[in-house]
Amino acid sequence: MTEAGTFDDLFAGADSPKPPFLESRSYMIHGEMLKWPGETETVYSPVMKKLADGGEAIPIGTFALVDEKVSLEAAECCRKAFNQGRGEWPAMKAEGRIKAVENFVRKIKEKRDEIVELIMWEICKSKPDAEKEFDRTMQYVLDTIVDYKNEQNKESSVVAAPGYMAKIRRVPLGVVMCSSPTNYPYNELYTTLIPALLTGNCAVVKVPRTGGLCHLPTFELFAECFPAGTVAMLTGKGRTVMQTIMKSGMVDAFAFIGSTKAAIDLTKVHPRPNRLKLCLGLEAKNPGIVFPDADIDLAVAECTTGSTSYNGMRCTAIKIIYLHSSIKDEFMEKFCKKVDSLKMGLPWESGVKITPLAENDKAKYLNGLVTDAVEKGAKIANERGGKYDRTLYAPTILFPVKDGMKVYEEEQFGPVIPVTTFDDVEEVWADLLKSNYGQQAAVFSRSPDTIAKSIDVLTHAVARVNINGQCQRGPDVFPFTARKDSAAATLSVHDALRTFTIRAMVAIKQDDAGTKLLRDVVKDDTSKFMAYDYLP
């Protein structure tokens, strides 16, 4: 279902912008920028040259492939910096940590254009989407600071219970290892890293092999803005860096977004897994369910955006559509036209919606799913469907799909859209309840009764039900989590601060001696835990 040169006119030519090239051997530990003397890896953009110019991938940078020794050194450095909560960073007052993060934000904003360009070239996110990822991330950080201040102020008070007084507040876990994915390399890192740092943890960061270039300009900023050992920034192979650190047992929490298999392989080697707190974002198979009384035009628009934004390479994408049989003809006609109207091209082009795929061999994998479905009875429903050329894959609608097809069960993570039908909604509920995944669902109906019944079923199968709208993560003040094999822990501006902390308590008897002792401790300001510091 492909032909060499099918989309050749869409690839880079002489009139394309000059690609960046960021050559780096840098990693950062001990608050120092260090040079790796060993092996490096060249990063190639998914943007290919036209066949007349050779048709090859375009190199855009290099990064260091640090080894096990450097990985352990980074973990040890962060462990010493934390020093059981007595290190400079965890012992620092909240106000000092906030100022350090705010200083970091001011400096990183100066690198916005460079980071956006690297995101565009390395993972082919359109320019508006790359800019949105940066700006949304910065807003997330600032909102997190506001929420952190509010929580610190609430926790400053002493609480009383019969016979006792207590100070209860959240304290850091220790050393957190953070890793971000290819599709949102910038945003997904900071939504875990910044809450972990604000609350006093130290962190080892392993940037992704694909999507990691955008982080390289930030290494020096972490060195400048935070005390030595607070953050370590590493590049390299995940199994070399993360598995080595995990085996050491020197991490107390793990923030990871990727596949279930990779998460299991990494976490199982920790020598004390019961001590390891997990924050995992894994696979999803979010359904769009269109009932007979739905607003068809609205459902078509939302399902199109929901299944194809950033090429469908989002965990929150709609990855299968269930249509009531009575509306399948009208929906499919409009849906196919809408999907085929999406502009394919390169990320800097105005209005582009479908760009080259960032993952190696992704187009071949998607083609395998399409071939399997067609061999088992599905058809390619849209005119442009089934066509691909190197890293460009045209959005492909498969109809009708059924159990037994790979695309029916697997998370495709790309612009292949399986569609099936139902007569009795219990068929849909049965599918979802037995699924291994449980992130979100999108329900399309104008009936209050249908919506009400759907909510009461789906809230036991997924973590978020979207009414007449696509599946998505935002707004960032909303909890982002999932059931089953799709996630562990909850993220949001509010929840992430809890994910990387634990509640600690100091209790004392509420008698004259206890009251006097407590007042003296607070008055002398010798205990950071007991201090009353109002943050404006």
Side-chain angles (χ1 to χ4, degrees), residues 418-464:
V419 184
T420 189
T421 59
F422 68 94
D423 293 307
D424 184 346
V425 73
E426 290 297 331
E427 304 165 35
V428 181
W429 304 154
D431 263 7
L432 301 187
L433 292 173
K434 73 179 182 181
S435 170
N436 291 326
Y437 308 118
Q439 190 195 76
Q440 298 189 29
V443 178
F444 297 93
S445 171
R446 286 180 280 203
S447 164
D449 184 61
T450 297
I451 293 297
K453 290 178 179 177
S454 298
I455 288 171
D456 286 350
V457 173
L458 288 171
T459 48
H460 293 279
V462 298
R464 173 169 169 165

Side-chain angles (χ1 to χ4, degrees), residues 308-323:
T308 63
S309 289
Y310 186 48
N311 302 324
M313 295 181 68
R314 301 175 297 117
C315 65
T316 56
I318 291 176
K319 298 193 177 84
I320 187 168
I321 298 173
Y322 292 85
L323 292 179

